[in-house]
Amino acid sequence: MPLRIRALLGGALLAVGLLTWTPVPAGVWNDDGVYLVIAQSLAAGEGLRYGGVPGGPAASKFPPVWPALVALVGGATPDHGGRLVFVNLALLALAGTLLAAWLSDHLGIPPVRAALLALLASLPGPLWTVAAIPLSEPLFLVAVLLALGAAARVERGDGLRAEATLLAALGLAFYTRTVGAVLPLAVVLALLLRRRPAPALRVGLGSVLLALPWILWSGAATRALDPGLRDTLGSYGSWWIGQIRTEPAAYRAWLGQNLEAVVRDATALLLPGVEGAAGLLLAVPVWGAVVVGLIRIGRASRTVPLALLGSLTLVWLWPFQSARLLTPWAPLLMAALLLGAGRMLRAGRAAPAALGGAMAGVVVLAALLHAWALGTGRPWRGLEQRAEALARAVASVEAHVPPDGVVGAPEMWAALRVHTGRRAAPSARFLPLQTRAPSWGSPAQQVALWRATGIDGLTTGTANDVHAETLTRLEERCPGAVHILDTQPGMLLVRVGLDEACLRRWDSAAPPS
């Protein structure tokens, strides 16, 4: 693809990001705050650790590439001046050019048409939301597209250099987001389907060797954590296995429930704002077009449809529902939708005209809906409410918590660390399949967590529900242990006094965790 067309496409995508960007404070999503906390430790030369968490535990949840980039660009401060957002917007623009190049180089689509397809495929609002927060998805998307380009060359037998490039891209993807483990599985299966066992073996072994250091290190670091912190600060793999092992029946029930949610969220990713009966009606032609598009893409590289199928399967198997897990795959799904609709539109000229008209309508509707969502700021509406809640929490903590205090929060605890400088830690558990107690933990589990992290000083509760039962029981057993310091809409700031006498009474009366 000519450099001029790539530059025009990248500039157009960067302009979309800058024109639609709605500033929000760092840490408003929670994970972005954790990234900043890790980046601050890296910038200070303390290594990959959760800075500010009492004990300084190793950061075994998130791979190091994105926190290292955050530290490198100097974005590990609350007032980063938009540097991180600009980096993420630039990465999304780069991803768009890589997608256009893939469409042109491997599908033979003329460069201008490929650029237009890539522009439309990059419009889904969640992409720009994760860039503005900012999170690691834009960098991961770049790594995915680099890997898919290299995989297509390996599939057609371009030699060891293409395999080395592929392994480098696979390593970048995995060390940005561990969900990148889906990619080497897709590549190996694609090579085996093309009856190329030798490169499949090399890519498979190379991927294992690349991933093994992180798997071993994060596993050991997770085991070193207090048990109450493993579900919030530990590795994803151990958390996933633990959920299945402790609640197998709940997990089986979850799989049936989550399948519908994945289809709904993926359809909403392609057609934002279309819900209810209209969503169900449009889902059939939309996913029909996606399948047709993936068949066309699969003729050039079987890795792409296999990677998409693997990612959707992983989201289905994941014991927690989050539409954000689908976000990095939005451009590929959109590209498949557009390609499939185009193929069916051309087929409609020889078949019933209704088929071509329906596909043209799907394409126009998708483009208009994405443009409307971006133009009206729909992807950022929820973030603005979270930003207001964070601002209230920061002001409350700064006014009532001494500089050497330890503040806990169910969410955005890392943001409180970043914005106030206080030590901070999660104050609730994350056990979404737990059936004997709420997903945020029983009173016994929460108090055990507070003791382990040193939150015998202060804690924040969101909307008074996450910690309400625990605080009530604690006050019953230790009168005077709970002091309300501040009350704000949707937030309660309290001081918790866990002295030795109180802990003895609690241990003698509390049920086992």
Side-chain angles (χ1 to χ4, degrees):
M1 173 174 283
L3 180 60
R4 177 175 58 86
I5 295 179
R6 293 192 189 195
L8 288 173
L9 174 60
L13 288 172
L14 190 59
V16 169
L18 292 173
L19 290 173
T20 59
W21 171 40
T22 298
V24 292
V28 71
W29 188 266
N30 187 58
D31 283 3
D32 56 326
V34 181
Y35 280 129
L36 289 177
V37 163
I38 300 172
Q40 287 178 343
S41 292
L42 289 171
E46 298 171 356
L48 199 68
R49 296 191 171 276
Y50 296 111
V53 176
S60 55
K61 192 179 190 72
F62 300 112
V65 169
W66 177 244
L69 181 59
V70 172
L72 184 64
V73 300
T77 59
D79 184 19
H80 50 66
R83 281 173 289 181
L84 285 181
V85 173
F86 184 81
V87 167
N88 260 358
L89 295 180
L91 286 170
L92 278 185
L94 174 59
T97 65
L98 290 173
L99 178 58
W102 196 99
L103 295 171
S104 179
D105 295 344
H106 301 292
L107 294 186
I109 298 175
V112 174
R113 189 184 305 171
L116 179 59
L117 284 172
L119 177 63
L120 292 175
S122 302
L123 288 181
L127 284 171
W128 304 98
T129 304
V130 297
I133 294 175
L135 294 164
S136 60
E137 276 84 349
L139 178 59
F140 178 70
L141 177 58
V142 168
V144 166
L145 291 169
L146 288 172
L148 294 180
R153 292 189 290 273
V154 172
E155 284 187 57
R156 71 187 182 209
D158 278 8
L160 294 177
R161 179 176 295 180
E163 292 178 25
T165 302
L166 172 60
L167 285 173
L170 292 175
L172 176 61
F174 179 77
Y175 280 91
T176 300
R177 292 183 63 84
T178 50
V179 72
V182 169
L183 291 171
L185 295 175
V187 173
V188 169
L189 184 55
L191 290 171
L192 291 176
L193 289 174
R194 292 193 182 277
R195 299 181 180 180
R196 298 181 55 80
L201 179 62
R202 289 192 293 268
V203 171
L205 287 177
S207 299
V208 170
L209 291 175
L210 280 172
L212 197 57
W214 174 256
I215 293 173
L216 294 176
W217 182 86
S218 64
T222 297
R223 290 190 294 273
L225 287 169
D226 180 89
L229 284 171
R230 290 175 187 171
D231 46 284
T232 52
L233 301 184
S235 66
Y236 284 115
S238 62
W239 175 78
W240 187 4
I241 294 170
Q243 291 287 290
I244 299 173
R245 181 183 300 160
T246 57
E247 298 285 355
Y251 183 66
R252 288 191 296 269
W254 164 256
L255 292 180
Q257 172 187 341
N258 197 35
L259 181 60
E260 178 184 353
V262 171
V263 175
R264 183 187 66 244
D265 290 342
T267 304
L269 197 63
L270 299 172
L271 296 175
V274 179
E275 300 173 351
L280 291 174
L281 183 64
L282 289 171
V284 174
V286 163
W287 286 103
V290 169
V291 170
V292 171
L294 288 176
I295 291 173
R296 181 183 178 187
I297 292 172
R299 295 194 182 104
S301 173
R302 296 182 181 179
T303 300
V304 177
L306 288 171
L308 277 171
L309 179 61
S311 66
L312 290 172
T313 301
L314 182 60
V315 175
W316 169 51
L317 296 175
W318 195 244
F320 176 68
Q321 181 183 342
S322 175
R324 177 191 157 199
L325 298 174
L326 296 168
T327 299
W329 309 99
L332 291 173
L333 286 171
M334 278 293 296
L337 170 64
L338 297 171
L339 290 170
R343 177 62 60 90
M344 296 170 77
L345 179 60
R346 288 190 293 274
R349 295 172 182 171
L355 177 63
M359 288 304 101
V362 166
V363 170
V364 172
L365 179 63
L368 290 176
L369 285 174
H370 286 300
W372 167 79
L374 288 175
T376 58
R378 187 172 183 268
W380 292 275
R381 288 176 187 169
L383 294 180
E384 293 173 352
Q385 296 175 353
R386 294 174 68 92
E388 293 173 0
L390 175 59
R392 290 194 296 268
V394 167
S396 181
V397 168
E398 288 184 331
H400 299 282
V401 179
D404 59 349
V406 180
V407 61
E411 282 190 297
M412 296 189 286
W413 58 269
L416 295 178
R417 162 65 180 177
V418 170
H419 289 281
T420 71
R422 273 67 169 177
R423 290 179 295 165
S427 63
R429 302 292 299 271
F430 182 53
L431 305 168
L433 296 184
Q434 183 168 251
T435 56
R436 296 179 300 276
S439 60
W440 51 77
S442 66
Q445 289 173 326
Q446 288 191 11
V447 170
L449 177 60
W450 299 351
R451 295 167 71 171
T453 54
I455 307 178
D456 54 354
L458 298 120
T459 181
T460 59
T462 303
N464 301 344
D465 55 358
V466 174
H467 296 316
E469 184 181 2
T470 305
L471 294 174
T472 299
R473 290 195 184 184
L474 185 62
E475 182 64 17
E476 289 174 352
R477 294 169 190 173
C478 305
V482 178
H483 302 271
I484 297 177
L485 301 178
D486 190 22
T487 301
Q488 297 286 340
M491 189 208 77
L492 182 71
L493 180 65
V494 302
R495 184 183 188 281
V496 179
L498 296 176
D499 56 30
E500 291 299 324
C502 174
L503 291 176
R504 283 195 298 270
R505 287 195 295 272
W506 178 266
D507 290 338
S508 64
S513 300

